[in-house]
Amino acid sequence: MQQFMSQLQHLLSASGSGPVNWDLARQVAASQLAAAGDPAVSPYERHAVEEALRLADLWLEPASALPSGIRTSVAWNRNEWIYKTLDVWRKLCDPVASRMVGAMGDLVPPEARAQLGPMQSMVATLGGALFGGQLGQALGSLAAEVLSAGDIGLPLGPAGTAALVPANIRAYGEGLELPEDEVRLYVALREAAHQRLFEHVPWLRGHVLTAVENYASGIRVNREAIEEAMGRVDPTDPESMQAIALEGIFTPEDTPAQKASLARLETVLALVEGWVCHVVDNAAGERLPNVVRLGEAFRRRRAAGGPAEQTFAALVGLELRPRRLREASALWAALTTHRGISGRDAVWGHPDLLPSDDDFADPVAFATAQLDLDDELANFDFTAPGGPEEQAPGGTPPRSDDSGDDTDKS
């Protein structure tokens, strides 16, 4: 019992100010990685990553109207990926965790709450510790699979920092039976494309994260699942607390607002990933021998999600897969064909210019929707008598008292 109380005290100690014990999450993730192995990044690998990102940026120049977004090129081990991305995970997970912690407090009968007094805070602390432990396991699994900072489509790393994870790239390349340097360069192209997009589209980072947060705000807590999980805690066995599986305690609200929120999230994730796939494949098309195999492998990987992504989705109720990736890629290809590279990338100029979910069904119609009006306006003489109000296409004739005479009418 003394050992249990000691471990319980450690579990409940540094919970921080939020609903998640992030110190515990980091410790659990680090412990998991230590058990599985976290190879250090060698000087050769650091140099190879820097060179791959430099070359990738050169290849992307003619394929994108957006300039380079890389200020720093780095190689991370798995622990560094967790440490450098934790701030963004905190923003994404705290709102969901707070509802779980609140639900745990609600399990205490109202008549018992007054008797608990200060002990009620322990319930919240316990909830934060449980969630932190589970989240640490999920992040540890993700860290063993991700290939770069932007691998799952979210701007997780510091702005302007392009980062690859050499150990994971090597393992992924072995699975594909492709040369490591070729896989590394393809990953570098994807990372460099992500950096261009998120660095030079100033509203995009907040737009993507807000879409995730809005969807998360509509997730409800399954109280029965929490009760079942808590029922498996054995006070005489400290390890039972670490073995609790919280998967399935979050389910999306089946409301029109939540469905619309999910549609917005899936659309923006697909548009980001589709743009990256299209631009990277164009940049590498005649340079990488296995670009077709690599492109198809990455599309399948992103569309299906790996085991770690599935674990994360089950834990916090968030699926980070771009479900309509192929349709989004076709849409960006149609924009390139009909508007050119500059016209395609100009769509990122404002969120209102982005295609909607409905536009995925007919990419050519979206790509050509404004061309007729643009051509008409391009050939219009705005210096002709009568002014643009009178002659612009679709404009309404001026009123009789609006002749354009600047003389004083007073």
Side-chain angles (χ1 to χ4, degrees):
M1 179 60 70
Q2 183 177 2
Q3 181 187 11
F4 168 72
M5 293 304 295
S6 175
Q7 294 196 30
L8 181 62
Q9 183 178 8
H10 174 70
L11 186 67
L12 301 178
S13 56
S15 62
S17 57
V20 178
N21 187 331
W22 286 101
D23 288 337
L24 180 62
R26 190 165 52 245
Q27 291 169 18
V28 169
S31 175
Q32 183 172 316
L33 289 175
D38 185 13
V41 179
S42 69
Y44 167 79
E45 287 174 324
R46 293 189 188 280
H47 177 72
V49 165
E50 291 172 359
E51 284 300 301
L53 287 167
R54 182 190 62 79
L55 183 58
D57 240 359
L58 288 176
W59 285 10
L60 287 172
E61 278 300 313
S64 170
L66 301 175
S68 172
I70 299 177
R71 297 196 294 269
T72 305
S73 299
V74 294
W76 288 342
N77 64 13
R78 293 160 179 167
N79 259 303
E80 285 177 305
W81 180 86
I82 291 176
Y83 182 78
K84 298 292 187 180
T85 64
L86 209 58
D87 284 345
V88 176
W89 289 120
R90 189 190 304 267
K91 293 177 184 177
L92 297 179
C93 297
D94 274 355
V96 183
S98 64
R99 284 193 293 283
M100 186 210 75
V101 172
M104 289 183 66
D106 291 341
L107 293 178
V108 180
E111 59 273 12
R113 293 174 191 169
Q115 298 177 7
L116 283 175
M119 292 289 289
Q120 277 190 275
S121 63
M122 183 177 289
V123 175
T125 305
L126 177 62
L130 289 174
F131 196 89
Q134 294 283 299
L135 188 58
Q137 292 181 25
L139 290 177
S141 298
L142 268 176
E145 293 182 5
V146 292
L147 306 179
S148 66
D151 192 27
I152 61 174
L154 299 179
L156 296 175
T161 298
L164 306 188
V165 186
N168 294 349
I169 292 173
R170 182 167 57 252
Y172 185 65
E174 291 171 355
L176 294 178
E177 297 182 346
L178 289 175
E180 182 183 347
D181 58 345
E182 197 169 339
V183 177
R184 183 195 303 116
L185 184 51
Y186 193 84
V187 176
L189 282 162
R190 289 176 51 82
E191 179 71 0
H194 271 286
Q195 292 296 329
R196 286 175 182 249
L197 197 54
F198 283 102
E199 185 73 7
H200 294 290
V201 181
W203 54 267
L204 183 59
R205 180 179 294 264
H207 186 79
V208 171
L209 296 180
T210 299
V212 176
E213 291 168 4
N214 287 344
Y215 175 65
S217 67
I219 294 174
R220 64 182 175 86
V221 176
N222 186 334
R223 291 185 57 182
E224 290 77 12
I226 292 181
E227 287 182 298
E228 182 181 350
M230 294 302 296
R232 293 195 292 269
V233 175
D234 181 0
T236 65
D237 180 14
E239 293 185 358
S240 69
M241 303 186 83
Q242 300 177 17
I244 292 177
L246 296 180
E247 291 94 336
I249 67 172
F250 299 110
T251 54
E253 288 280 8
D254 189 21
T255 63
Q258 181 66 355
K259 289 179 179 178
S261 180
L262 176 59
R264 285 192 296 271
L265 173 58
E266 290 181 341
T267 297
V268 71
L269 288 176
L271 288 173
V272 168
E273 188 66 24
W275 185 88
V276 168
C277 288
H278 174 68
V279 169
V280 165
D281 287 351
N282 281 351
E286 298 180 358
R287 294 182 170 102
L288 284 181
N290 293 292
V291 65
V292 175
R293 278 188 62 189
L294 284 164
E296 187 58 32
F298 272 81
R299 281 180 178 85
R300 288 198 305 268
R301 178 175 178 270
R302 288 294 293 120
E309 282 190 67
Q310 294 164 10
T311 300
F312 186 81
L315 176 61
V316 300
L318 289 175
E319 290 192 354
L320 302 176
R321 293 177 294 163
R323 293 180 181 275
R324 306 191 67 180
L325 173 54
R326 292 187 186 277
E327 294 96 323
S329 298
L331 198 150
W332 291 116
L335 281 166
T336 305
T337 299
H338 293 282
R339 302 191 191 183
I341 291 173
S342 296
R344 176 201 68 201
D345 292 350
V347 173
W348 291 110
H350 192 277
D352 290 346
L353 298 176
L354 288 179
S356 67
D357 187 56
D358 295 336
D359 293 320
F360 283 28
D362 194 346
V364 174
F366 176 80
T368 59
Q370 294 181 330
L371 291 182
D372 293 340
L373 179 59
D374 290 346
D375 290 342
E376 200 171 348
L377 287 174
N379 296 324
F380 180 76
D381 183 6
F382 282 88
T383 64
E389 293 85 356
E390 180 179 332
Q391 298 191 22
T396 56
R399 297 190 306 272
S400 58
D401 63 341
D402 199 8
S403 63
D405 187 355
D406 291 332
T407 58
D408 186 0
K409 299 180 181 179
S410 56

